[in-house]
Amino acid sequence: MNKKFWLSLLTVVMVTSLLAACGGGKENNSAGGTSAAGNEGGKEDKVTFTYFNAAAGKDKNTNETTIGKIFEEQTGVNFKMEHLVGDENTKVGTFIASNDYPDVIVPGSSIDKLVGAGSFIPLNDLIDQYGPNIKRVYEPYFNLMKADDGNIYFLPLSAVTGEYTSAPNIEQGAFWVQRRVLKEAGYPKIKTFDEYLTLIREYVKKYPDEGLTGYLSLTTEDKFFAFTNAPMHLAGYPNDGGIIIDMETHQANDYADDDITKRYLQELNQLNAEGLFDKSSFVDNYDQYLAKLSSGKVLGFFDYRWQAGQAMNNLREASNKSGNDDLEYMALPIVYDENTKDQYLDPPSFVNNRGVGISVSAKDPERIVKFFDNLLTDENQILSNWGIKDETYSVDENGRFYRTEEQITQTNTDAFRESFGFKYFEYNWPRYGNGSTLPDGNSVGAGRQPEVAQMSYSEGDKKLLEAYDIASFSQLFSAPDERPWYPAWSIPIDQGSPSQIFTQKKSDLQRKYFPKLVLASPSDFEGVWNEYIGEFNKLDVKQYEELITDEVAKKIANVKGQ
C-alpha cells in the first residue's frame, strides 16, 4: 500500500502531445465494439463500447466530455454510458435471462448475482498481458479480489495507492442540521441524539408558520440503508452494513431486532406524532428527496454526503449567489449517549464486492483492459480528479496542487462537472481509491487536499469552524479505530444461499414494518414492535451472523497476510 512510483505530472503540453500522438481511424458508434477502419501506422482504430452503470445518472458518450475526449484520443476508445432506470435486480435479471450484456458493467448490490451467473469474464490473464498499471495498483489486494475459483472478475474501486490521507470534510455519513438552527441556538456543542432533536424541536417552535420539516428520511428501494443504518451510527459504530462487529471478539451481530433500532424508530414515531417527521419519506422517490433538501425547508436528516451531494451542491450555489448560508447543512457526529465515541469516519478500507467488470458479451476485452490500464497512470488519475493544469487546478512553487476560488466554484457546479467529465470519471472506473496520494505527496482526490479544503471554505464555513474551534469539519468527529475487516458489507454472499435469503426476508420485513412503527400512534408503537420482533424471530439470523463472523476472520487473516 506504501509502494512508490514516479510518473511526471499532467501538463497542458503533455495533453497536447497526447492529442497529437493518438487518433486516426473513422469513429464507429456501434455498440458491439467493432471498428470501421483499418489499422494504419500502428494506431488503433476508434471504437465505441457499451457501459452500464447500475446507478441513476444521465446517459452520455464519454467522448462528449472533455476528459472522455482526451481518453479517446489517447486510446481510440469511447463508451456509450447507460444508467439505471427502475429496479437494479430487474434490469440485471433481464441481462442474465437473455445472456446479452453491455460490454462493461458497474453493478450495485447485484454484483454477486452477475458473478454467480457467469456474466463476467476472468481478468487474470488479461491483466498479466495488458495491465501493468492494473497490476501495480491492485496487486496488493489480489487475495481479497479473487473468487473461490481463483479468478478476478471485476476491479474494485477502492484500491488505495501511496500513503493514505483522510478527508478534511465529511464525505460519508452524519446527522445533518441546517446552519440557521445552530446559529439560532448560539452554536452549541451537541453530541447526543436527544440534544440534536431538541434543537430541531425548539427551532420549529420559534418559527411555526414557515412550513418547516423537522426531519426527513430517505427510504427508496435501493437506498433503504440510509434509513436502517442510522441506529448503527448512533450506537458508535461505522458503516459495516446492517451488522455490528465487536471490536474485541470480532463477533457479528445483526442489530435489526436490537434496542438501538427500537430506540431510533421510537424517536421518529414521537417526531411524527408532533408533526415534525415528513410522512412522505416512505413514498418519495430519490429526486423528490433531493428536491426537499434543496428547498431549504428541511431542518435535519441522516444520510451519506455522497448520496445527498446534489442537494448540498445546489444549496451551496444558492448561498454563493445570496451571500447567506443559513439553509446549508453542517454534519454532526451524533450518538445516543454522552460517553459513546462516534465512528462515522471510515478507516482505510478495501471494498471487494463492488467494482467494474467486463461482460461475456464484450467483443474486444483486450482493448477494454488496455483502456482501463491507461486510466491507471498518475497523469490520468490527475486528469480524472483534478482536470487540466491552469484550467481546473493550479500548482504552486512547491509543487502542491490547489484550486483558486474561481476554479473551486467552477468545478463544484453540476453542469460543469458533467460536461468536463468529473461527474463520470471520478468514480465507477478502475481508479486510485479514496485517500490515495501521488508520489509527490499531493492527494489524488482534490477534496482531500488541505489547500483545496481551506480555499473552498466560505465566510459562513469559517464562522462555523471558528465557533467550534476546528480547522476542518472532520475534526469535529472522532478518528476511526482500526478495523482490518472493514467494511463487513463488502463480504460476498452467494445468491440463493441461506444468508442471502435471510437478508432479503429481513429487508422485506423492515420495509413492511418500519413505516408502520414510525407512523403509528405512540400508544400502539409497542404492540407493532412486538409484532415485528415476532416475525423477525422466525428468520434464521444465527446462521447469517455466523457466516459474517467467519468471513470477518478470513478477511482479517488475508489483510494481515496469514
Side-chain angles (χ1 to χ4, degrees):
M1 196 176 293
N2 295 322
K3 53 191 185 300
K4 300 294 184 181
F5 48 88
W6 179 252
L7 291 168
S8 60
L9 300 178
L10 178 66
T11 64
V12 173
V13 173
M14 181 168 289
V15 171
T16 303
S17 67
L18 287 167
L19 292 174
C22 301
K26 296 179 182 178
E27 186 172 359
N28 174 18
N29 289 325
S30 67
T34 56
S35 59
N39 190 335
E40 300 176 2
K43 298 176 183 177
E44 293 198 84
D45 306 322
K46 289 189 177 181
V47 62
T48 291
F49 297 109
T50 50
Y51 165 109
F52 174 75
N53 183 355
K58 183 178 180 181
D59 296 349
K60 201 179 190 75
N61 282 289
T62 55
N63 65 7
E64 295 175 311
T65 70
T66 302
I67 296 173
K69 186 63 178 176
I70 292 173
F71 290 154
E72 184 187 45
E73 294 296 338
Q74 291 175 0
T75 65
V77 173
N78 168 59
F79 286 89
K80 183 179 181 181
M81 297 183 290
E82 178 190 356
H83 295 80
L84 179 67
V85 176
D87 177 66
E88 177 183 349
N89 286 319
T90 301
K91 181 71 171 180
V92 167
T94 302
F95 289 153
I96 294 172
S98 65
N99 198 35
D100 185 16
Y101 302 89
D103 297 298
V104 173
I105 305 176
V106 185
S109 59
S110 66
I111 195 163
D112 294 334
K113 182 182 294 186
L114 286 162
V115 172
S119 308
F120 292 136
I121 63 170
L123 300 176
N124 308 49
D125 291 342
L126 290 166
I127 292 171
D128 284 341
Q129 294 179 62
Y130 307 110
N133 289 311
I134 296 174
K135 184 176 290 188
R136 170 177 55 81
V137 172
Y138 285 98
E139 194 166 33
Y141 305 97
F142 276 178
N143 282 344
L144 296 173
M145 293 168 59
K146 291 178 179 177
D148 291 340
D149 62 6
N151 285 319
I152 294 171
Y153 290 103
F154 57 88
L155 298 178
L157 311 175
S158 57
V160 173
T161 303
E163 301 291 338
Y164 180 80
T165 182
S166 59
N169 297 320
I170 301 307
E171 298 178 345
Q172 295 297 324
F175 277 83
W176 303 84
V177 67
Q178 272 193 338
R179 296 181 177 194
R180 59 175 168 171
V181 178
L182 297 172
K183 181 193 293 186
E184 183 80 20
Y187 301 108
K189 294 183 178 180
I190 64 172
K191 181 175 182 179
T192 70
F193 197 39
D194 287 341
E195 292 169 334
Y196 173 82
L197 295 180
T198 296
L199 270 181
I200 290 173
R201 286 185 169 104
E202 290 180 350
Y203 192 89
V204 174
K205 186 177 180 180
K206 288 182 180 179
Y207 302 96
D209 300 324
E210 291 193 9
L212 301 173
T213 296
Y215 193 83
L216 180 70
S217 291
L218 176 62
T219 69
T220 55
E221 185 70 23
D222 61 335
K223 297 175 173 61
F224 196 60
F225 63 86
F227 188 73
T228 58
N229 279 7
M232 170 174 56
H233 292 293
L234 287 167
Y237 291 89
N239 181 16
D240 263 321
I243 202 84
I244 286 173
I245 309 298
D246 186 273
M247 286 294 289
E248 299 297 327
T249 66
H250 300 155
Q251 294 289 311
N253 170 50
D254 189 300
Y255 60 87
D257 60 337
D258 288 0
D259 284 343
I260 61 172
T261 297
K262 180 181 180 181
R263 182 173 176 179
Y264 182 63
L265 295 170
Q266 199 154 24
E267 292 285 6
L268 298 190
N269 174 270
Q270 185 58 44
L271 283 178
N272 180 66
E274 297 169 21
L276 299 178
F277 179 81
D278 189 336
K279 293 179 171 63
S280 298
S281 293
F282 295 114
V283 294
D284 283 347
N285 62 32
Y286 185 44
D287 287 339
Q288 290 170 317
Y289 168 78
L290 292 175
K292 286 183 176 180
L293 294 182
S294 301
S295 73
K297 294 293 187 180
V298 178
L299 301 184
F301 66 101
F302 169 84
D303 202 354
Y304 298 89
R305 173 62 175 79
W306 51 267
Q307 192 155 251
Q310 182 179 328
M312 294 188 183
N313 291 342
N314 292 342
L315 290 168
R316 174 52 58 101
E317 287 184 41
S319 296
N320 290 338
K321 293 177 182 177
S322 68
N324 183 346
D325 72 335
D326 280 358
L327 303 184
E328 289 193 60
Y329 294 96
M330 181 170 177
L332 299 176
I334 300 300
V335 290
Y336 277 135
D337 302 308
E338 185 69 34
N339 60 353
T340 298
K341 181 171 71 170
D342 66 90
Q343 286 290 279
Y344 286 89
L345 301 184
D346 287 349
S349 61
F350 184 74
V351 178
N352 59 332
N353 74 336
R354 294 291 188 275
V356 52
I358 300 174
S359 80
V360 294
S361 297
K363 304 299 188 297
D364 194 349
E366 292 91 349
R367 191 82 179 270
I368 297 171
V369 167
K370 288 178 182 178
F371 181 89
F372 288 173
D373 191 72
N374 185 64
L375 288 177
L376 293 171
T377 63
D378 282 1
E379 293 94 339
N380 283 335
Q381 286 299 292
I382 293 168
L383 179 60
S384 297
N385 290 276
W386 286 90
I388 298 174
K389 182 184 174 186
D390 297 328
E391 291 186 27
T392 56
Y393 78 100
S394 302
V395 182
D396 69 16
E397 64 275 10
N398 298 315
R400 295 291 296 174
F401 294 2
Y402 69 96
R403 280 177 173 158
T404 64
E405 289 186 21
E406 293 77 13
Q407 289 168 342
I408 288 170
T409 299
Q410 179 188 45
T411 55
N412 282 341
T413 303
D414 276 349
F416 178 82
R417 289 176 56 77
E418 183 178 305
S419 64
F420 193 81
F422 286 137
K423 193 169 185 178
Y424 299 101
F425 282 103
E426 281 178 342
Y427 202 67
N428 294 316
W429 297 88
R431 63 193 286 272
Y432 296 0
N434 293 339
S436 294
T437 52
L438 297 162
D440 60 7
N442 281 297
S443 170
V444 172
R448 295 202 179 202
Q449 188 87 330
E451 291 90 338
V452 173
Q454 293 298 324
M455 183 62 73
S456 67
Y457 290 147
S458 65
E459 289 306 311
D461 292 334
K462 294 173 184 176
K463 184 181 294 185
L464 275 174
L465 294 170
E466 181 180 359
Y468 289 98
D469 193 26
I470 50 179
S472 65
F473 288 104
S474 65
Q475 289 183 2
L476 202 62
F477 292 66
S478 299
D481 291 335
E482 182 181 357
R483 287 174 162 83
W485 66 86
Y486 186 83
W489 59 259
S490 69
I491 292 170
I493 297 176
D494 294 336
Q495 287 292 316
S497 67
S499 289
Q500 187 272 325
I501 293 171
F502 162 77
T503 57
Q504 182 60 57
K505 287 184 176 180
K506 180 186 78 168
S507 178
D508 293 342
L509 197 64
Q510 289 175 324
R511 291 178 187 279
K512 176 181 178 180
Y513 276 95
F514 283 12
K516 290 183 179 181
L517 284 160
V518 173
L519 304 180
S521 168
S523 61
D524 295 333
F525 179 88
E526 200 69 33
V528 179
W529 174 259
N530 290 335
E531 184 180 330
Y532 161 72
I533 291 298
E535 293 299 314
F536 183 86
N537 287 339
K538 296 176 183 178
L539 306 181
D540 191 0
V541 64
K542 184 177 180 181
Q543 61 78 28
Y544 172 69
E545 291 173 338
E546 289 175 350
L547 171 73
I548 300 299
T549 299
D550 291 344
E551 292 299 319
V552 163
K554 291 177 186 177
K555 195 168 183 181
I556 292 172
N558 280 332
V559 168
K560 294 183 176 180
Q562 298 173 350

